[in-house]
Amino acid sequence: MSSFPESLLIANRGEIARRIIKTANRLGVRTIAVYHKVDAGLPYVSEASVAIELKGDMPVQSYLDREQIIAIAKESGAAAIHPGYGFLAENAGFAREVADAGLTWVGPSADVIDVMGDKVESRRAVAAAGVPISGDAGAALKTGDEAVEEAERVGYPVMVKASAGGGGIGMAVAHDADELRKAFENTKSMSERSFGSDRVFVERFVESARHVEIQVLGLNDGTIVALGERDCSTQRRHQKLIEESPAPHLAPETRARLIESAIAAAGSVGYRNAGTVEFLLDTRTGDFVFLEMNTRIQVEHPITELTHGVDLIEQQLSIAASGTTTADFNPVSRGHAIELRICAEDPKKFFPRPGPIDGWIEPTGEGIRVDSGYTAGTEVTPHFDSLIAKVCAYGETREDALARAIQACGEFQIEGLVTNQPFLEEILADEEFNDGRYDTGLVERIQIRLKEQAKLAKRSA
């Protein structure tokens, strides 16, 4: 029988903290928010049962202060800690410290986070379970010569990646040995600076690819439940902008193989709680390879909730407390959902544009859901990620969901702040996106088209 922690500290801020608090409050779980003084006016602070200020001059470092957060959890009577996404969510050391403090960690074990947080080790683990990967499942490459040897085996072009990396940091494409040697050294150096690890590997670069991921829930009895797929191919600089579920024009047999591989990947490490297994799908061949596993709740989890009739935060809390899902957990795939990431950034070059919010009116209507971290009168500071809200649209068909997403994006009124809404509207109006047969190069192609249109307009003026 499922149960929930009596009290929950949310080791995060903004939109995801607010999202977790909403579910926990509904379940009668006492919620404890932590906040730096720059976030004191954000909605999640007042919506929690208790809010406690984090000490420290540097906002980001305060949310990364493991010792302080655990001390607050103990002092406030928290029974569990939910890390959300980002910050400490995939920090194995923090997960161990939470457990050592006698608190419940809402997520997979520290050992699993360790394995899946290292791309070399995760590739080795899933490959042993029969999950397809690109390149060798062996150790990290130590020299440029080793990288060239591996590239000659898998075939150019290749992608150079940091084993401990994330967010596209350090990734580089090489088309020949000279490019590869230079990219290898640059990635190795950047990885050491950014992640404290210089472990690098090489895999084949897929020129026309889709980024497809599978949502999973791992239970204490070893069961892995898969909740369909999300297409996350609409990206800028390897950062997602729009996601949708299910993935359009995905062959049923490919979907079945993706789900089977995701279950095998999660099972290979004895996964528990919510996680996401990500794949790169070659649009020309239909083949796919494992990319990575995110050992936390994803930013784009709402579209899975909309298309399966579940609350993933509720299931996370249930699994953390009792090892299983709630008694009424009965996911059924239905309809289509699209998520738009509204960011405080320049809509052309995507540079962050923090500032005060003078007006904030969220779209409403049938099939519309908005998860936001801000309201009118609050301020987007330069200290954190530029994501300010997620607009989700659900419909019985992709056409219905897309029409609602277009309307909702246009109706979202944010005054006093520059956002990426105009560019999101360009994507939603794009013929390739509307057809649903796009790949990870979509955003770049739209940017090129808009630049050409601007040049023509300037010449004719």
mmCIF file of all heavy atoms in Angstrom, residues 366-416:
data_model
loop_
_atom_site.group_PDB
_atom_site.id
_atom_site.type_symbol
_atom_site.label_atom_id
_atom_site.label_comp_id
_atom_site.label_asym_id
_atom_site.label_seq_id
_atom_site.Cartn_x
_atom_site.Cartn_y
_atom_site.Cartn_z
ATOM 1 N N GLU A 366 -9.453 25.233 -22.413
ATOM 2 C CA GLU A 366 -9.459 23.777 -22.455
ATOM 3 C C GLU A 366 -8.117 23.237 -22.937
ATOM 4 O O GLU A 366 -7.575 23.676 -23.954
ATOM 5 C CB GLU A 366 -10.576 23.287 -23.385
ATOM 6 C CG GLU A 366 -10.746 21.780 -23.401
ATOM 7 C CD GLU A 366 -11.887 21.338 -24.287
ATOM 8 O OE1 GLU A 366 -12.556 22.206 -24.883
ATOM 9 O OE2 GLU A 366 -12.101 20.111 -24.397
ATOM 10 N N GLY A 367 -7.573 22.290 -22.198
ATOM 11 C CA GLY A 367 -6.326 21.644 -22.588
ATOM 12 C C GLY A 367 -5.072 22.433 -22.305
ATOM 13 O O GLY A 367 -3.972 21.997 -22.658
ATOM 14 N N ILE A 368 -5.194 23.584 -21.646
ATOM 15 C CA ILE A 368 -4.026 24.432 -21.396
ATOM 16 C C ILE A 368 -3.558 24.299 -19.945
ATOM 17 O O ILE A 368 -4.361 24.372 -19.015
ATOM 18 C CB ILE A 368 -4.324 25.916 -21.689
ATOM 19 C CG1 ILE A 368 -4.734 26.098 -23.153
ATOM 20 C CG2 ILE A 368 -3.104 26.781 -21.368
ATOM 21 C CD1 ILE A 368 -3.705 25.629 -24.158
ATOM 22 N N ARG A 369 -2.277 24.098 -19.772
ATOM 23 C CA ARG A 369 -1.665 24.042 -18.447
ATOM 24 C C ARG A 369 -0.414 24.922 -18.451
ATOM 25 O O ARG A 369 0.396 24.857 -19.383
ATOM 26 C CB ARG A 369 -1.296 22.595 -18.095
ATOM 27 C CG ARG A 369 -0.330 22.458 -16.922
ATOM 28 C CD ARG A 369 -0.066 21.003 -16.579
ATOM 29 N NE ARG A 369 1.085 20.847 -15.700
ATOM 30 C CZ ARG A 369 1.492 19.687 -15.190
ATOM 31 N NH1 ARG A 369 0.825 18.578 -15.449
ATOM 32 N NH2 ARG A 369 2.563 19.632 -14.413
ATOM 33 N N VAL A 370 -0.245 25.722 -17.425
ATOM 34 C CA VAL A 370 0.940 26.564 -17.300
ATOM 35 C C VAL A 370 1.632 26.271 -15.965
ATOM 36 O O VAL A 370 1.014 26.371 -14.905
ATOM 37 C CB VAL A 370 0.585 28.070 -17.380
ATOM 38 C CG1 VAL A 370 1.851 28.920 -17.224
ATOM 39 C CG2 VAL A 370 -0.105 28.393 -18.700
ATOM 40 N N ASP A 371 2.881 25.884 -16.023
ATOM 41 C CA ASP A 371 3.719 25.733 -14.832
ATOM 42 C C ASP A 371 4.694 26.899 -14.834
ATOM 43 O O ASP A 371 5.541 26.999 -15.729
ATOM 44 C CB ASP A 371 4.503 24.415 -14.873
ATOM 45 C CG ASP A 371 3.634 23.194 -14.632
ATOM 46 O OD1 ASP A 371 2.396 23.321 -14.720
ATOM 47 O OD2 ASP A 371 4.190 22.114 -14.363
ATOM 48 N N SER A 372 4.562 27.791 -13.867
ATOM 49 C CA SER A 372 5.383 29.003 -13.881
ATOM 50 C C SER A 372 6.043 29.244 -12.533
ATOM 51 O O SER A 372 5.580 28.751 -11.506
ATOM 52 C CB SER A 372 4.529 30.214 -14.262
ATOM 53 O OG SER A 372 3.516 30.429 -13.296
ATOM 54 N N GLY A 373 7.103 30.027 -12.563
ATOM 55 C CA GLY A 373 7.810 30.344 -11.335
ATOM 56 C C GLY A 373 7.693 31.797 -10.930
ATOM 57 O O GLY A 373 8.237 32.198 -9.902
ATOM 58 N N TYR A 374 6.977 32.590 -11.744
ATOM 59 C CA TYR A 374 6.930 34.035 -11.521
ATOM 60 C C TYR A 374 5.508 34.565 -11.644
ATOM 61 O O TYR A 374 4.611 33.899 -12.160
ATOM 62 C CB TYR A 374 7.824 34.749 -12.540
ATOM 63 C CG TYR A 374 9.291 34.395 -12.413
ATOM 64 C CD1 TYR A 374 9.798 33.251 -13.024
ATOM 65 C CD2 TYR A 374 10.163 35.188 -11.673
ATOM 66 C CE1 TYR A 374 11.142 32.912 -12.908
ATOM 67 C CE2 TYR A 374 11.505 34.858 -11.548
ATOM 68 C CZ TYR A 374 11.985 33.715 -12.165
ATOM 69 O OH TYR A 374 13.308 33.373 -12.033
ATOM 70 N N THR A 375 5.308 35.787 -11.184
ATOM 71 C CA THR A 375 4.051 36.508 -11.359
ATOM 72 C C THR A 375 4.398 37.981 -11.546
ATOM 73 O O THR A 375 5.569 38.379 -11.462
ATOM 74 C CB THR A 375 3.137 36.377 -10.113
ATOM 75 O OG1 THR A 375 3.845 36.859 -8.957
ATOM 76 C CG2 THR A 375 2.709 34.938 -9.895
ATOM 77 N N ALA A 376 3.393 38.790 -11.784
ATOM 78 C CA ALA A 376 3.610 40.232 -11.902
ATOM 79 C C ALA A 376 4.198 40.770 -10.600
ATOM 80 O O ALA A 376 3.787 40.368 -9.515
ATOM 81 C CB ALA A 376 2.297 40.938 -12.219
ATOM 82 N N GLY A 377 5.155 41.660 -10.714
ATOM 83 C CA GLY A 377 5.771 42.252 -9.534
ATOM 84 C C GLY A 377 7.021 41.521 -9.065
ATOM 85 O O GLY A 377 7.713 41.990 -8.166
ATOM 86 N N THR A 378 7.313 40.362 -9.659
ATOM 87 C CA THR A 378 8.548 39.636 -9.320
ATOM 88 C C THR A 378 9.626 40.004 -10.331
ATOM 89 O O THR A 378 9.373 40.699 -11.318
ATOM 90 C CB THR A 378 8.332 38.121 -9.295
ATOM 91 O OG1 THR A 378 7.851 37.684 -10.575
ATOM 92 C CG2 THR A 378 7.308 37.747 -8.237
ATOM 93 N N GLU A 379 10.820 39.512 -10.100
ATOM 94 C CA GLU A 379 11.939 39.855 -10.988
ATOM 95 C C GLU A 379 12.738 38.621 -11.361
ATOM 96 O O GLU A 379 13.018 37.759 -10.527
ATOM 97 C CB GLU A 379 12.862 40.868 -10.307
ATOM 98 C CG GLU A 379 14.038 41.294 -11.186
ATOM 99 C CD GLU A 379 14.877 42.403 -10.572
ATOM 100 O OE1 GLU A 379 14.506 42.885 -9.481
ATOM 101 O OE2 GLU A 379 15.885 42.788 -11.188
ATOM 102 N N VAL A 380 13.085 38.545 -12.644
ATOM 103 C CA VAL A 380 13.985 37.500 -13.123
ATOM 104 C C VAL A 380 15.405 38.028 -12.951
ATOM 105 O O VAL A 380 15.789 38.997 -13.601
ATOM 106 C CB VAL A 380 13.711 37.156 -14.607
ATOM 107 C CG1 VAL A 380 14.684 36.088 -15.088
ATOM 108 C CG2 VAL A 380 12.270 36.702 -14.795
ATOM 109 N N THR A 381 16.156 37.408 -12.069
ATOM 110 C CA THR A 381 17.515 37.867 -11.794
ATOM 111 C C THR A 381 18.503 37.171 -12.731
ATOM 112 O O THR A 381 18.197 36.144 -13.334
ATOM 113 C CB THR A 381 17.906 37.577 -10.338
ATOM 114 O OG1 THR A 381 18.050 36.151 -10.172
ATOM 115 C CG2 THR A 381 16.854 38.106 -9.366
ATOM 116 N N PRO A 382 19.727 37.701 -12.848
ATOM 117 C CA PRO A 382 20.722 37.098 -13.753
ATOM 118 C C PRO A 382 21.416 35.874 -13.167
ATOM 119 O O PRO A 382 22.293 35.310 -13.809
ATOM 120 C CB PRO A 382 21.713 38.246 -13.960
ATOM 121 C CG PRO A 382 21.638 39.051 -12.702
ATOM 122 C CD PRO A 382 20.195 38.988 -12.284
ATOM 123 N N HIS A 383 21.027 35.459 -11.974
ATOM 124 C CA HIS A 383 21.766 34.398 -11.281
ATOM 125 C C HIS A 383 21.424 32.989 -11.745
ATOM 126 O O HIS A 383 22.214 32.065 -11.537
ATOM 127 C CB HIS A 383 21.500 34.501 -9.772
ATOM 128 C CG HIS A 383 21.810 35.826 -9.185
ATOM 129 N ND1 HIS A 383 23.090 36.318 -9.068
ATOM 130 C CD2 HIS A 383 20.981 36.798 -8.689
ATOM 131 C CE1 HIS A 383 23.053 37.514 -8.519
ATOM 132 N NE2 HIS A 383 21.783 37.829 -8.276
ATOM 133 N N PHE A 384 20.232 32.818 -12.370
ATOM 134 C CA PHE A 384 19.765 31.473 -12.640
ATOM 135 C C PHE A 384 19.399 31.273 -14.105
ATOM 136 O O PHE A 384 19.476 32.190 -14.911
ATOM 137 C CB PHE A 384 18.546 31.161 -11.750
ATOM 138 C CG PHE A 384 18.763 31.437 -10.294
ATOM 139 C CD1 PHE A 384 18.191 32.548 -9.696
ATOM 140 C CD2 PHE A 384 19.559 30.599 -9.527
ATOM 141 C CE1 PHE A 384 18.393 32.817 -8.348
ATOM 142 C CE2 PHE A 384 19.775 30.853 -8.184
ATOM 143 C CZ PHE A 384 19.196 31.965 -7.593
ATOM 144 N N ASP A 385 18.982 30.061 -14.436
ATOM 145 C CA ASP A 385 18.532 29.723 -15.778
ATOM 146 C C ASP A 385 17.395 30.656 -16.199
ATOM 147 O O ASP A 385 16.622 31.141 -15.364
ATOM 148 C CB ASP A 385 18.050 28.267 -15.783
ATOM 149 C CG ASP A 385 17.624 27.804 -17.162
ATOM 150 O OD1 ASP A 385 18.498 27.363 -17.921
ATOM 151 O OD2 ASP A 385 16.416 27.883 -17.466
ATOM 152 N N SER A 386 17.278 30.882 -17.501
ATOM 153 C CA SER A 386 16.307 31.861 -18.004
ATOM 154 C C SER A 386 14.875 31.344 -18.102
ATOM 155 O O SER A 386 13.957 32.111 -18.410
ATOM 156 C CB SER A 386 16.753 32.355 -19.391
ATOM 157 O OG SER A 386 16.769 31.283 -20.320
ATOM 158 N N LEU A 387 14.640 30.042 -17.832
ATOM 159 C CA LEU A 387 13.283 29.498 -17.911
ATOM 160 C C LEU A 387 12.368 30.161 -16.882
ATOM 161 O O LEU A 387 12.682 30.183 -15.693
ATOM 162 C CB LEU A 387 13.307 27.989 -17.661
ATOM 163 C CG LEU A 387 11.957 27.270 -17.661
ATOM 164 C CD1 LEU A 387 11.341 27.276 -19.061
ATOM 165 C CD2 LEU A 387 12.101 25.846 -17.144
ATOM 166 N N ILE A 388 11.238 30.689 -17.332
ATOM 167 C CA ILE A 388 10.311 31.338 -16.405
ATOM 168 C C ILE A 388 8.950 30.648 -16.356
ATOM 169 O O ILE A 388 8.226 30.772 -15.371
ATOM 170 C CB ILE A 388 10.119 32.834 -16.732
ATOM 171 C CG1 ILE A 388 9.625 33.028 -18.165
ATOM 172 C CG2 ILE A 388 11.424 33.599 -16.495
ATOM 173 C CD1 ILE A 388 9.283 34.476 -18.511
ATOM 174 N N ALA A 389 8.598 29.927 -17.413
ATOM 175 C CA ALA A 389 7.297 29.239 -17.423
ATOM 176 C C ALA A 389 7.279 28.182 -18.516
ATOM 177 O O ALA A 389 8.058 28.232 -19.472
ATOM 178 C CB ALA A 389 6.163 30.238 -17.652
ATOM 179 N N LYS A 390 6.375 27.222 -18.349
ATOM 180 C CA LYS A 390 6.155 26.191 -19.355
ATOM 181 C C LYS A 390 4.674 26.207 -19.720
ATOM 182 O O LYS A 390 3.819 26.056 -18.840
ATOM 183 C CB LYS A 390 6.555 24.819 -18.811
ATOM 184 C CG LYS A 390 8.021 24.755 -18.367
ATOM 185 C CD LYS A 390 8.438 23.414 -17.821
ATOM 186 C CE LYS A 390 7.580 22.917 -16.702
ATOM 187 N NZ LYS A 390 8.201 21.810 -15.943
ATOM 188 N N VAL A 391 4.390 26.426 -20.994
ATOM 189 C CA VAL A 391 3.017 26.411 -21.474
ATOM 190 C C VAL A 391 2.779 25.079 -22.158
ATOM 191 O O VAL A 391 3.466 24.726 -23.118
ATOM 192 C CB VAL A 391 2.756 27.563 -22.464
ATOM 193 C CG1 VAL A 391 1.352 27.437 -23.057
ATOM 194 C CG2 VAL A 391 2.914 28.907 -21.775
ATOM 195 N N CYS A 392 1.806 24.325 -21.655
ATOM 196 C CA CYS A 392 1.499 23.011 -22.207
ATOM 197 C C CYS A 392 0.098 23.014 -22.797
ATOM 198 O O CYS A 392 -0.835 23.564 -22.199
ATOM 199 C CB CYS A 392 1.601 21.936 -21.129
ATOM 200 S SG CYS A 392 3.234 21.847 -20.348
ATOM 201 N N ALA A 393 -0.028 22.391 -23.958
ATOM 202 C CA ALA A 393 -1.323 22.305 -24.626
ATOM 203 C C ALA A 393 -1.631 20.848 -24.926
ATOM 204 O O ALA A 393 -0.806 20.136 -25.514
ATOM 205 C CB ALA A 393 -1.311 23.115 -25.914
ATOM 206 N N TYR A 394 -2.816 20.408 -24.530
ATOM 207 C CA TYR A 394 -3.249 19.029 -24.748
ATOM 208 C C TYR A 394 -4.460 19.000 -25.675
ATOM 209 O O TYR A 394 -5.327 19.868 -25.607
ATOM 210 C CB TYR A 394 -3.616 18.355 -23.420
ATOM 211 C CG TYR A 394 -4.260 17.003 -23.598
ATOM 212 C CD1 TYR A 394 -3.479 15.885 -23.809
ATOM 213 C CD2 TYR A 394 -5.654 16.860 -23.596
ATOM 214 C CE1 TYR A 394 -4.063 14.637 -24.019
ATOM 215 C CE2 TYR A 394 -6.241 15.626 -23.796
ATOM 216 C CZ TYR A 394 -5.444 14.516 -24.005
ATOM 217 O OH TYR A 394 -6.026 13.295 -24.220
ATOM 218 N N GLY A 395 -4.501 17.998 -26.549
ATOM 219 C CA GLY A 395 -5.657 17.805 -27.415
ATOM 220 C C GLY A 395 -5.798 16.344 -27.793
ATOM 221 O O GLY A 395 -4.879 15.548 -27.599
ATOM 222 N N GLU A 396 -6.933 15.999 -28.328
ATOM 223 C CA GLU A 396 -7.162 14.609 -28.729
ATOM 224 C C GLU A 396 -6.242 14.207 -29.872
ATOM 225 O O GLU A 396 -5.880 13.036 -30.010
ATOM 226 C CB GLU A 396 -8.619 14.415 -29.130
ATOM 227 C CG GLU A 396 -9.596 14.516 -27.958
ATOM 228 C CD GLU A 396 -11.019 14.179 -28.372
ATOM 229 O OE1 GLU A 396 -11.214 13.728 -29.533
ATOM 230 O OE2 GLU A 396 -11.933 14.364 -27.542
ATOM 231 N N THR A 397 -5.847 15.172 -30.708
ATOM 232 C CA THR A 397 -4.933 14.921 -31.812
ATOM 233 C C THR A 397 -3.790 15.922 -31.757
ATOM 234 O O THR A 397 -3.865 16.928 -31.040
ATOM 235 C CB THR A 397 -5.637 15.063 -33.170
ATOM 236 O OG1 THR A 397 -6.021 16.443 -33.340
ATOM 237 C CG2 THR A 397 -6.879 14.185 -33.245
ATOM 238 N N ARG A 398 -2.731 15.661 -32.545
ATOM 239 C CA ARG A 398 -1.616 16.611 -32.599
ATOM 240 C C ARG A 398 -2.091 17.955 -33.152
ATOM 241 O O ARG A 398 -1.653 19.021 -32.706
ATOM 242 C CB ARG A 398 -0.484 16.058 -33.477
ATOM 243 C CG ARG A 398 0.752 16.969 -33.496
ATOM 244 C CD ARG A 398 1.914 16.338 -34.261
ATOM 245 N NE ARG A 398 3.132 17.110 -34.068
ATOM 246 C CZ ARG A 398 3.570 18.058 -34.885
ATOM 247 N NH1 ARG A 398 2.856 18.355 -35.980
ATOM 248 N NH2 ARG A 398 4.680 18.722 -34.632
ATOM 249 N N GLU A 399 -2.985 17.901 -34.127
ATOM 250 C CA GLU A 399 -3.507 19.132 -34.714
ATOM 251 C C GLU A 399 -4.226 19.971 -33.660
ATOM 252 O O GLU A 399 -4.069 21.210 -33.615
ATOM 253 C CB GLU A 399 -4.453 18.812 -35.876
ATOM 254 C CG GLU A 399 -3.783 18.227 -37.096
ATOM 255 C CD GLU A 399 -3.288 16.801 -36.918
ATOM 256 O OE1 GLU A 399 -3.860 16.085 -36.038
ATOM 257 O OE2 GLU A 399 -2.343 16.392 -37.617
ATOM 258 N N ASP A 400 -5.017 19.324 -32.800
ATOM 259 C CA ASP A 400 -5.719 20.035 -31.730
ATOM 260 C C ASP A 400 -4.717 20.658 -30.753
ATOM 261 O O ASP A 400 -4.859 21.823 -30.358
ATOM 262 C CB ASP A 400 -6.627 19.073 -30.953
ATOM 263 C CG ASP A 400 -7.803 18.576 -31.779
ATOM 264 O OD1 ASP A 400 -8.149 19.248 -32.764
ATOM 265 O OD2 ASP A 400 -8.355 17.516 -31.424
ATOM 266 N N ALA A 401 -3.727 19.866 -30.350
ATOM 267 C CA ALA A 401 -2.727 20.352 -29.394
ATOM 268 C C ALA A 401 -1.937 21.514 -29.977
ATOM 269 O O ALA A 401 -1.662 22.511 -29.286
ATOM 270 C CB ALA A 401 -1.792 19.211 -28.999
ATOM 271 N N LEU A 402 -1.568 21.408 -31.245
ATOM 272 C CA LEU A 402 -0.793 22.469 -31.896
ATOM 273 C C LEU A 402 -1.602 23.757 -31.994
ATOM 274 O O LEU A 402 -1.095 24.852 -31.719
ATOM 275 C CB LEU A 402 -0.353 22.002 -33.284
ATOM 276 C CG LEU A 402 0.492 22.984 -34.106
ATOM 277 C CD1 LEU A 402 1.743 23.385 -33.340
ATOM 278 C CD2 LEU A 402 0.871 22.353 -35.449
ATOM 279 N N ALA A 403 -2.857 23.650 -32.363
ATOM 280 C CA ALA A 403 -3.711 24.845 -32.460
ATOM 281 C C ALA A 403 -3.831 25.528 -31.099
ATOM 282 O O ALA A 403 -3.770 26.770 -31.000
ATOM 283 C CB ALA A 403 -5.092 24.454 -32.987
ATOM 284 N N ARG A 404 -4.002 24.741 -30.058
ATOM 285 C CA ARG A 404 -4.106 25.311 -28.715
ATOM 286 C C ARG A 404 -2.779 25.907 -28.252
ATOM 287 O O ARG A 404 -2.757 26.942 -27.569
ATOM 288 C CB ARG A 404 -4.573 24.234 -27.736
ATOM 289 C CG ARG A 404 -6.041 23.875 -27.909
ATOM 290 C CD ARG A 404 -6.460 22.677 -27.070
ATOM 291 N NE ARG A 404 -7.894 22.418 -27.204
ATOM 292 C CZ ARG A 404 -8.506 21.352 -26.715
ATOM 293 N NH1 ARG A 404 -7.812 20.423 -26.064
ATOM 294 N NH2 ARG A 404 -9.816 21.202 -26.883
ATOM 295 N N ALA A 405 -1.664 25.274 -28.629
ATOM 296 C CA ALA A 405 -0.351 25.805 -28.255
ATOM 297 C C ALA A 405 -0.110 27.154 -28.924
ATOM 298 O O ALA A 405 0.413 28.089 -28.301
ATOM 299 C CB ALA A 405 0.747 24.815 -28.646
ATOM 300 N N ILE A 406 -0.486 27.267 -30.187
ATOM 301 C CA ILE A 406 -0.320 28.530 -30.918
ATOM 302 C C ILE A 406 -1.139 29.630 -30.254
ATOM 303 O O ILE A 406 -0.654 30.747 -30.037
ATOM 304 C CB ILE A 406 -0.748 28.345 -32.388
ATOM 305 C CG1 ILE A 406 0.251 27.427 -33.114
ATOM 306 C CG2 ILE A 406 -0.854 29.686 -33.094
ATOM 307 C CD1 ILE A 406 -0.209 26.995 -34.499
ATOM 308 N N GLN A 407 -2.394 29.319 -29.929
ATOM 309 C CA GLN A 407 -3.261 30.317 -29.294
ATOM 310 C C GLN A 407 -2.736 30.703 -27.915
ATOM 311 O O GLN A 407 -2.685 31.889 -27.565
ATOM 312 C CB GLN A 407 -4.678 29.776 -29.183
ATOM 313 C CG GLN A 407 -5.657 30.783 -28.591
ATOM 314 C CD GLN A 407 -7.098 30.293 -28.643
ATOM 315 O OE1 GLN A 407 -7.398 29.309 -29.309
ATOM 316 N NE2 GLN A 407 -7.996 30.982 -27.941
ATOM 317 N N ALA A 408 -2.305 29.708 -27.122
ATOM 318 C CA ALA A 408 -1.824 29.982 -25.766
ATOM 319 C C ALA A 408 -0.551 30.813 -25.770
ATOM 320 O O ALA A 408 -0.389 31.725 -24.950
ATOM 321 C CB ALA A 408 -1.586 28.666 -25.025
ATOM 322 N N CYS A 409 0.351 30.522 -26.704
ATOM 323 C CA CYS A 409 1.596 31.284 -26.782
ATOM 324 C C CYS A 409 1.308 32.746 -27.097
ATOM 325 O O CYS A 409 1.921 33.653 -26.512
ATOM 326 C CB CYS A 409 2.511 30.680 -27.852
ATOM 327 S SG CYS A 409 4.186 31.375 -27.879
ATOM 328 N N GLY A 410 0.353 32.975 -27.994
ATOM 329 C CA GLY A 410 -0.007 34.351 -28.351
ATOM 330 C C GLY A 410 -0.745 35.083 -27.255
ATOM 331 O O GLY A 410 -0.656 36.314 -27.145
ATOM 332 N N GLU A 411 -1.464 34.334 -26.390
ATOM 333 C CA GLU A 411 -2.257 34.961 -25.328
ATOM 334 C C GLU A 411 -1.475 35.214 -24.040
ATOM 335 O O GLU A 411 -1.942 35.958 -23.172
ATOM 336 C CB GLU A 411 -3.466 34.080 -25.008
ATOM 337 C CG GLU A 411 -4.511 34.057 -26.113
ATOM 338 C CD GLU A 411 -5.683 33.162 -25.774
ATOM 339 O OE1 GLU A 411 -5.598 32.431 -24.746
ATOM 340 O OE2 GLU A 411 -6.678 33.174 -26.530
ATOM 341 N N PHE A 412 -0.323 34.579 -23.891
ATOM 342 C CA PHE A 412 0.471 34.764 -22.667
ATOM 343 C C PHE A 412 1.031 36.190 -22.652
ATOM 344 O O PHE A 412 1.871 36.549 -23.475
ATOM 345 C CB PHE A 412 1.613 33.744 -22.643
ATOM 346 C CG PHE A 412 2.193 33.500 -21.266
ATOM 347 C CD1 PHE A 412 2.981 32.384 -21.043
ATOM 348 C CD2 PHE A 412 1.976 34.367 -20.198
ATOM 349 C CE1 PHE A 412 3.528 32.128 -19.786
ATOM 350 C CE2 PHE A 412 2.507 34.126 -18.951
ATOM 351 C CZ PHE A 412 3.291 33.003 -18.738
ATOM 352 N N GLN A 413 0.544 37.001 -21.722
ATOM 353 C CA GLN A 413 0.953 38.403 -21.647
ATOM 354 C C GLN A 413 1.992 38.606 -20.545
ATOM 355 O O GLN A 413 1.694 38.453 -19.364
ATOM 356 C CB GLN A 413 -0.258 39.292 -21.380
ATOM 357 C CG GLN A 413 -1.309 39.232 -22.481
ATOM 358 C CD GLN A 413 -2.513 40.101 -22.162
ATOM 359 O OE1 GLN A 413 -2.387 41.231 -21.662
ATOM 360 N NE2 GLN A 413 -3.708 39.575 -22.452
ATOM 361 N N ILE A 414 3.209 38.936 -20.948
ATOM 362 C CA ILE A 414 4.293 39.222 -20.012
ATOM 363 C C ILE A 414 4.819 40.610 -20.345
ATOM 364 O O ILE A 414 5.368 40.829 -21.431
ATOM 365 C CB ILE A 414 5.419 38.176 -20.111
ATOM 366 C CG1 ILE A 414 4.867 36.759 -19.895
ATOM 367 C CG2 ILE A 414 6.518 38.470 -19.093
ATOM 368 C CD1 ILE A 414 5.880 35.662 -20.131
ATOM 369 N N GLU A 415 4.649 41.543 -19.441
ATOM 370 C CA GLU A 415 5.039 42.933 -19.696
ATOM 371 C C GLU A 415 6.305 43.299 -18.921
ATOM 372 O O GLU A 415 6.520 42.845 -17.798
ATOM 373 C CB GLU A 415 3.901 43.869 -19.293
ATOM 374 C CG GLU A 415 2.616 43.642 -20.089
ATOM 375 C CD GLU A 415 1.474 44.511 -19.592
ATOM 376 O OE1 GLU A 415 1.718 45.375 -18.724
ATOM 377 O OE2 GLU A 415 0.338 44.316 -20.057
ATOM 378 N N GLY A 416 7.138 44.109 -19.561
ATOM 379 C CA GLY A 416 8.353 44.606 -18.916
ATOM 380 C C GLY A 416 9.534 43.665 -19.030
ATOM 381 O O GLY A 416 10.598 43.925 -18.470
#
